[in-house]
Amino acid sequence: MDVILTKDVEKIGLRGDVVSVARGYARNFLFPRKLAEEATPARVAELHKRETNRARHEAKTADQAQSIADTLTKTVLRFEVKAGPTGSLFGSVTPTDIADEIWRTRKIRVDRRKIGIDNIKRIGNHVVPIDLFEGVRVELKTLVAPEGGEMPSDEELAAMEAAERAEQEAAAPAPAAAVEYEYVEETERAISPADAATAGDEPAAAEQDAGAGEPDWRADAEAALRDE
């Protein structure tokens, strides 16, 4: 079904886009979170009219684009967003957020699709490339600071990012070799003396008889681990 996005949705589209999604995705995810609304003919016509009006404020020539670029070069956008202890944002700063802030602070209309970044998800100093016109690009300085706090130094930002990487690595699954070794140990423990006695021999004899004429899978596993 067709829906109108009311907010930027990563990998789906930007606010105001009319996109086609699965009905279940719309009803179970987008609508309950107020990320989209149904694309009725009246709402789509209203959006097209609004986009046409906005386009009138965008650069129409290279000279106009260069004038806008000169202004944006001297501009530093600032966003204050809730962030965790390692600097990751609880939300994100989207291309639409940047376009809206440029309009609010400079009254310059920029097409969101010409803002060359994905969503910003960490605090810090960011450079946002914007293609204003063919052959005219500006790099806009953008500061994303933690809500209600001061901007950390570059050294502190680097330490926070390193701490987040360490957390992610610690939470990563164990290597395949370690998992195999754990499986071998669990298998050995599962063969109890009682199991061996049931076969009519002492544990050591049972293991020897069981392995007679067959590959020593335990030795093979240990050798494979040593080779890695």
Side-chain angles (χ1 to χ4, degrees), residues 36 38 45 56 108 110 134 159 204 220:
E38 189 172 353
R56 294 174 183 170
I108 292 173
V110 172
E134 185 176 355
D220 291 344

Side-chain angles (χ1 to χ4, degrees), residues 172-182 228:
V179 172
E180 181 181 356
Y181 185 70
E182 290 172 2
E228 290 184 356

Side-chain angles (χ1 to χ4, degrees), residues 106-122:
R106 292 298 189 180
K107 291 298 180 285
I108 292 173
R109 184 66 68 188
V110 172
D111 187 341
R112 300 165 299 166
R113 294 164 185 79
K114 296 180 180 179
I115 297 176
I117 61 161
D118 294 324
N119 295 349
I120 297 174
K121 298 182 178 181
R122 292 191 59 81

